[in-house]
Amino acid sequence: EVQLVESGGGLVQPGGSLRLSCAASGFTFSSYWMNWVRQAPGKGLEWVANIKEDGSKKYYVDSVKGRFTISRDNAKNSLFLQMNSLRAEDTAVYYCARAITSTESYWGQGTLVTVSS
Amino acid sequence: QSVLTQPPSASGTPGQRVIISCSGSSSNIGSNTVNWYQQLPGTAPRLLIYSNNQRPSGVPDRFSGSKSGTSASLAISGLQSEDEADYYCAAWDDSLNAFVFGTGSKVTVL
């Protein structure tokens, strides 16, 4: 059974840092592009970043460039999102998602990040 | 602010056909395939349509997608109460070098 389980969310002060993790199981993790997608409370979906199967290519939405870093550890079937210089507008549920544009798309249940003083 | 524009809402009675539009530009819908996602209340999104008009296994054939130029649409035929959800279009944008979601449309079954 495919599973994506996010962790690492919580309350952080503006300017702080947080590292999200996504533990993958039930499939060959190293064969898929992986994504982070977020959703602010009561708002729509916003794609944050993605990373190629071998980690050689990474793309980011403009609003997080220079602050967030996506990475993966294929040996540990894990996806990460290092978030620095956090702002109030980064408050959202962060979803880990596999192959979001193919028939093999799969999403985790999300982890809530709250940036507030 | 999203580069893909959708109507905020759509509604219909059970059995009716509902169509949701998605308007983009030459750098996204005009040059890349469109995907649609369904998000039921309190749950994670799921892929409903990929590559403009393809359904992943498990998605009922009541859902169909189409694309023309810089616009796309999602049709729900034979509307059912369980179709009440938020729907988002999405596509890669070559100018932004990023994946972009639409503004989202809430479907209500009357």
Side-chain angles (χ1 to χ4, degrees):
Chain A
E1 178 194 5
V2 173
Q3 282 198 319
L4 293 172
V5 180
E6 302 93 338
S7 61
L11 176 63
V12 61
Q13 290 190 338
S17 298
L18 216 52
R19 189 191 194 211
L20 303 184
S21 299
C22 172
S25 60
F27 65 100
T28 305
F29 180 72
S30 58
S31 296
Y32 293 88
W33 279 80
M34 295 297 296
N35 300 262
W36 287 101
V37 177
R38 67 185 179 183
Q39 186 169 35
K43 302 297 184 182
L45 300 174
E46 181 182 40
W47 174 84
V48 175
N50 67 3
I51 184 169
K52 199 177 186 316
E53 295 94 335
D54 61 0
S56 61
K57 291 186 178 180
K58 304 173 185 181
Y59 298 94
Y60 300 89
V61 67
D62 279 349
S63 59
V64 308
K65 284 179 182 175
R67 300 188 301 123
F68 290 11
T69 302
I70 189 172
S71 62
R72 64 192 298 162
D73 185 338
N74 286 343
K76 296 183 177 179
N77 294 330
S78 295
L79 177 71
F80 306 100
L81 186 67
Q82 178 66 44
M83 304 186 296
N84 300 328
S85 303
L86 283 161
R87 306 166 180 167
E89 53 266 35
D90 295 318
T91 294
V93 172
Y94 285 73
Y95 295 102
C96 164
R98 176 187 85 173
I100 60 175
T101 61
S102 86
T103 186
E104 296 182 83
S105 174
Y106 193 86
W107 297 58
Q109 289 307 301
T111 186
L112 177 63
V113 172
T114 303
V115 184
S116 175
S117 54
Chain B
Q1 188 171 356
S2 176
V3 298
L4 301 182
T5 303
Q6 299 177 232
S9 63
S11 63
T13 57
Q16 278 191 328
R17 187 170 187 246
V18 168
I19 297 177
I20 301 168
S21 61
C22 176
S23 178
S25 67
S26 58
S27 63
N28 42 66
I29 294 178
S31 50
N32 295 293
T33 58
V34 178
N35 310 276
W36 289 90
Y37 301 85
Q38 178 193 58
Q39 187 175 31
L40 298 170
T43 70
R46 72 153 175 164
L47 182 66
L48 203 62
I49 297 287
Y50 69 100
S51 295
N52 303 326
N53 54 19
Q54 302 299 302
R55 283 185 307 276
S57 60
V59 174
D61 58 7
R62 303 185 291 104
F63 295 93
S64 62
S66 64
K67 174 184 134 174
S68 178
T70 59
S71 294
S73 61
L74 173 72
I76 310 174
S77 302
L79 193 65
Q80 299 183 7
S81 58
E82 57 260 40
D83 298 333
E84 275 209 345
D86 293 321
Y87 293 84
Y88 298 88
C89 60
W92 186 260
D93 189 294
D94 293 334
S95 295
L96 298 174
N97 233 11
F99 194 69
V100 291
F101 283 95
T103 49
S105 299
K106 183 176 183 61
V107 168
T108 301
V109 181
L110 302 171

